[in-house]
Amino acid sequence: MDLSTFDFAALLQLRTDVDAEIRRRESEEKAKAAKQVMDLIRTHGLDIQELATKSTKTVAAGTRKPVDAKYRHPDDASLSWTGRGRKPLWVVTWLDSGRNLDDLLIK
């Protein structure tokens, strides 16, 4: 289709028609997908509520709980570190002063 042959009004109308057709087909595709899902549910004897609950539990099971601190500054108990990720500045300073990381272990 050579769009250069269309005048401005015809192009605007074409855009309107294309947008309407896209919306219509999107609606058809969603209805078709919903029917396929419902057919699978019926075929396998599944319950929609049960599926929704299971998928929610699966997502919740993937969340992690906070990790307890493994290291703490001996002079300032508010400074702690789990030992994961980048070392905090206070740990880097501690190590740069020639001290050992094991001295910071929480016992």
Side-chain angles (χ1 to χ4, degrees):
M1 170 184 281
D2 184 11
L3 297 178
S4 65
T5 61
F6 288 78
D7 66 3
F8 185 71
L11 285 172
L12 290 176
Q13 184 59 48
L14 180 62
R15 179 171 63 183
T16 302
D17 294 345
V18 167
D19 288 343
E21 183 64 17
I22 288 172
R23 285 191 300 276
R24 185 186 69 75
R25 288 192 189 186
E26 180 180 34
S27 178
E28 284 179 1
E29 290 295 318
K30 285 181 180 179
K32 184 175 149 184
K35 182 184 178 318
Q36 289 174 338
V37 169
M38 291 306 293
D39 288 345
L40 283 171
I41 287 171
R42 284 188 206 102
T43 300
H44 297 286
L46 300 172
D47 177 36
I48 294 175
Q49 293 298 332
E50 183 180 329
L51 287 173
T53 304
K54 283 184 180 178
S55 68
T56 303
K57 287 181 182 176
T58 302
V59 170
T63 59
R64 297 179 182 174
K65 70 173 191 145
V67 179
D68 292 331
K70 185 175 178 182
Y71 302 98
R72 179 165 288 122
H73 194 286
D75 300 326
D76 186 354
S78 68
L79 298 175
S80 62
W81 179 47
T82 63
R84 295 185 179 182
R86 192 171 161 184
K87 290 181 185 87
L89 186 57
W90 65 269
V91 172
V92 173
T93 304
W94 180 271
L95 295 172
D96 287 347
S97 68
R99 297 180 188 159
N100 193 340
L101 186 61
D102 291 337
D103 296 337
L104 300 174
L105 278 171
I106 298 173
K107 297 171 181 155

